[in-house]
């Protein structure tokens, strides 16, 4: 018996990174998974690799910025596997060229990020909830970000959209808990997804590592295992929460690292 045996899960942005890790883990633990992604070839490839290992999966196209496409992905899941009991609203975008500080950020980019990062969570949940109620309940998990808890020099739209995801998670949990639907979020710190590895200079990765409490970076499976737990009945009394998976990067006074350095020098 797997940890999520026979649950039916739709994973958005499942062709890469955090979504892909989660799809593989859920399938390994007995869930039937629909991998939905802009990158349809990647989604199909991921589904094939799950099937090759004896799991049940299908890959489909999704544009998380489009209401009709989100509705179709939910309907497809219910038609293909009979119901839906897990929804992982994982798609999220950032844009370091246009999502800048408050004075300079591009307003069209603000709207685009709010649509893809936030409204997609609302819509995925809106279309899935009636089916989950029919199925006797379910678990919705949203990908937030530590950027939803903190300020930053840039990415004001991204941070605001993820902060809203954190609170929307509580609203969904409050409104549908009595229907046996739980809703939680996971807030990753820096996770070394292929995209993060590609886009970040080694110097930037070093800065992140310096301020982690742990001596290593996060990996997609660190988020995948958290989502697996939230999808499973092991977390049946947890709802409305956002679990921070961030290597202890944000737990201490930010000046601790500099004080440690100062004390190291003072004692040498
Ligand atoms: N990697 C990190 O360090 C990190 C940190 C905090 C939060 N997050 C969040 O984690 C989530 C996943 O990020 P990731 O790092 O795994 O990214 P990723 O780029 O590896 O994967 C994202 C996937 O989403 C798909 N996608 C993008 N736009 C889409 C759209 N409009 N419709 C459907 N699919 C779309 C892409 O094709 C890709 O397969 C995002 O919500 C992101 O904000 C990531």
């Amino acid at each position: 018996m797997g940890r999520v045996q026979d649950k039916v899960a739709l994973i958005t942005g499942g062709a890469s990174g955090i979504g892909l890790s989660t799809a593989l883990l859920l399938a390994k633990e007995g869930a039937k998974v629909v991998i939905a992604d802009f990158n349809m070839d990647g989604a199909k490839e991921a589904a094939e690799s799950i099937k090759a290992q004896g799991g049940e999966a299908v890959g489909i196209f999704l544009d998380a910025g489009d209401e009709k496409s989100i509705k179709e992905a939910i309907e497809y899941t219910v038609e293909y596997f009979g119901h839906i009991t897990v929804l992982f609203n994982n798609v999220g975008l950032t844009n370091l060229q246009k999502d800048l500080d408050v004075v300079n950020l591009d307003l069209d980019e603000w709207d685009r990020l709010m649509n893809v990062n936030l409204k997609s969570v609302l819509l995925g949940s809106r279309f899935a909830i009636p089916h989950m109620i029919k199925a006797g309940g379910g678990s919705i998990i949203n990908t937030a970000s530590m950027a939803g808890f903190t300020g930053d020099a840039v990415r004001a739209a991204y941070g605001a959209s993820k902060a809203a995801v954190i609170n929307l998670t509580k609203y969904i949990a409050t409104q549908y808990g009595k229907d046996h639907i739980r809703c939680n979020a996971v807030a990753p710190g820096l996770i070394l997804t292929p995209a993060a590895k590609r886009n970040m200079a080694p110097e930037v990765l070093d800065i992140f590592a310096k301020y982690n409490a742990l001596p290593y970076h996060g990996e997609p499976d660190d988020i995948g295992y958290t989502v697996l737990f939230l999808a499973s009945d092991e977390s049946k009394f947890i709802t409305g929460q956002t679990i921070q998976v961030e290597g202890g990067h944000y737990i201490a006074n930010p000046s601790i690292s500099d004080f440690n350095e100062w004390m190291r020098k003072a004692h040498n």
Side-chain angles (χ1 to χ4, degrees):
M1 231 359 219
R3 292 170 64 187
V4 284
Q5 195 66 43
D6 295 332
K7 291 188 188 292
V8 174
L10 171 64
I11 295 146
T12 76
S16 166
I18 289 168
L20 176 59
S21 157
T22 304
L24 298 176
L25 287 170
L26 288 173
K28 198 170 143 205
E29 289 295 339
K32 299 167 185 172
V33 300
V34 178
I35 300 171
D37 204 292
F38 218 61
N39 170 6
M40 192 166 70
D41 290 344
K44 285 185 184 296
E45 209 177 292
E48 287 310 315
S49 85
I50 287 171
K51 286 199 270 184
Q53 290 170 39
E56 287 191 66
V58 61
I60 63 170
F61 173 80
L62 167 75
D63 176 359
D66 179 53
E67 177 177 352
K68 186 164 165 278
S69 181
I70 296 174
K71 190 166 196 287
E72 282 169 1
I74 303 280
E75 300 300 334
Y76 184 91
T77 304
V78 173
E79 267 166 41
Y80 196 85
F81 283 127
H83 55 266
I84 179 169
T85 45
V86 175
L87 171 64
F88 184 27
N89 286 312
N90 168 62
V91 167
L93 299 176
T94 183
N95 182 337
L96 288 168
Q97 274 73 49
K98 294 185 174 176
D99 181 11
L100 303 169
D101 59 90
V102 165
V103 171
N104 294 300
L105 70 78
D106 180 312
L107 286 179
D108 289 337
E109 193 62 9
W110 170 276
D111 289 342
R112 190 174 81 98
L113 294 186
M114 288 298 162
N115 188 42
V116 174
N117 294 359
L118 175 59
K119 197 171 175 192
S120 70
V121 173
L122 172 80
L123 291 174
S125 306
R126 161 183 291 208
F127 297 132
I129 284 167
H131 292 294
M132 287 184 171
I133 291 174
K134 268 193 217 152
S139 176
I140 297 172
I141 303 121
N142 303 321
T143 303
S145 167
M146 289 310 296
F149 288 103
T150 58
D152 199 345
V154 289
R155 300 200 305 166
Y158 180 76
S161 71
K162 292 297 190 177
V165 167
I166 291 165
N167 213 36
L168 181 57
T169 297
K170 294 181 194 172
Y171 274 80
I172 296 167
T174 303
Q175 292 171 356
Y176 300 99
K178 292 285 194 280
D179 295 305
H180 297 268
I181 294 172
R182 297 183 297 111
C183 183
N184 293 287
V186 58
L190 174 66
I191 301 297
L192 290 187
T193 55
K197 278 195 220 164
R198 232 183 3 258
N199 297 332
M200 291 207 172
E203 291 78 6
V204 175
L205 295 179
D206 288 348
I207 293 172
F208 268 94
K210 176 180 171 192
Y211 289 99
N212 284 351
L214 294 169
Y216 43 82
H217 289 295
E219 293 174 357
D221 279 1
D222 294 315
I223 307 301
Y225 278 113
T226 308
V227 178
L228 170 62
F229 169 66
L230 291 172
S232 79
D233 296 341
E234 295 160 15
S235 58
K236 73 181 177 52
F237 202 47
I238 301 178
T239 196
Q241 307 301 315
T242 295
I243 300 186
Q244 303 181 4
V245 184
E246 44 74 272
H249 192 87
Y250 301 85
I251 57 173
N253 180 328
S255 53
I256 288 290
S257 177
D258 294 338
F259 279 121
N260 280 344
E261 182 67 11
W262 174 74
M263 282 195 291
R264 198 181 54 76
K265 282 187 188 144
H267 291 292
N268 280 339

